Amino acid sequence: MELTDAIRTTGSVRAFLDQSVPDEVLYTILDDARFAPSGGNRQAWHVIIVKDERRRRALRDLYLDGWRDYVAHVLAGLVPFSPLASDEDRAAAASKRSAAIAVSKPDGFPETLDQVPVMLAICADLAALAATDRDLGRYQIAGGASIYPFVWNVLLAARARGLGGVMTTMATRNESGVREVLDIPHDQIVASIVALGHPTSQVTKLTRRTVQEFTTIDTFDGEPFTSNS
Ligand SMILES: Cc1cc2nc3c(=O)[nH]c(=O)nc-3n(C[C@H](O)[C@H](O)[C@H](O)COP(=O)(O)O)c2cc1C
């Protein structure tokens, strides 16, 4: 597959065939993904392949809890988990929690997360992250840039083998819970739970903003950058 095709068509897959992924294939996916970039090339990731059913169910429940918060935010008309959320926003989302539980579907992705063919918990070693914005006194984002390219590489490498998946973060809302389930030490953070498997269908068209909608010349509010700028 052409690299540009892969970039343009690797969408989230949340529905999988009842078909397992051999360990040899998973190994090759991780073997490709490890070439991701990271600050100082410190490769702070650690992957836990969650096979144990009890641990999977526990992670599903933690995910579901976060998912209900997500739905509650949507029902309240908010951007879920925005770093700029006010106390009023948080209260508005909390007031929709019961409504969010009510819209739960028994066969939905969150409700059946424990049954995905492959479940990976991807951790990051806090001591090894290059958090260049750590002293700015605002929400920090730079440290994540040393771990999510690896997560994305896992998804691209899976795609190259006819597999699909999705990076998820709902369960990380209850990081201490995830730590307890998987015996993760305190100097590690949980970046993502990734689901992988054989897709029931392959998305070919992704919905994304155009270049000129997010690119400007010289200043943030400069002229939009178009192909004939
Ligand atoms: C940082 C991050 C966190 C995400 N968390 C979740 C998640 O917890 N659950 C989920 O189903 N999808 C999650 N996604 C997938 C996004 O919903 C998806 O990338 C986006 O909606 C675009 O959808 P598409 O790939 O189908 O076009 C996450 C994606 C990213 C990059």
Side-chain angles (χ1 to χ4, degrees), residues 10-14 63 67 70 109 148 166-171 192 203 205-208:
T10 303
S12 306
V13 174
R14 301 185 183 86
Y63 183 99
W67 172 246
Y70 179 95
F109 172 73
Y148 291 110
V166 61
M167 80 166 80
T168 79
T169 44
M170 298 298 155
S192 183
V203 181
K205 247 189 160 163
L206 305 182
T207 307
R208 301 291 188 263

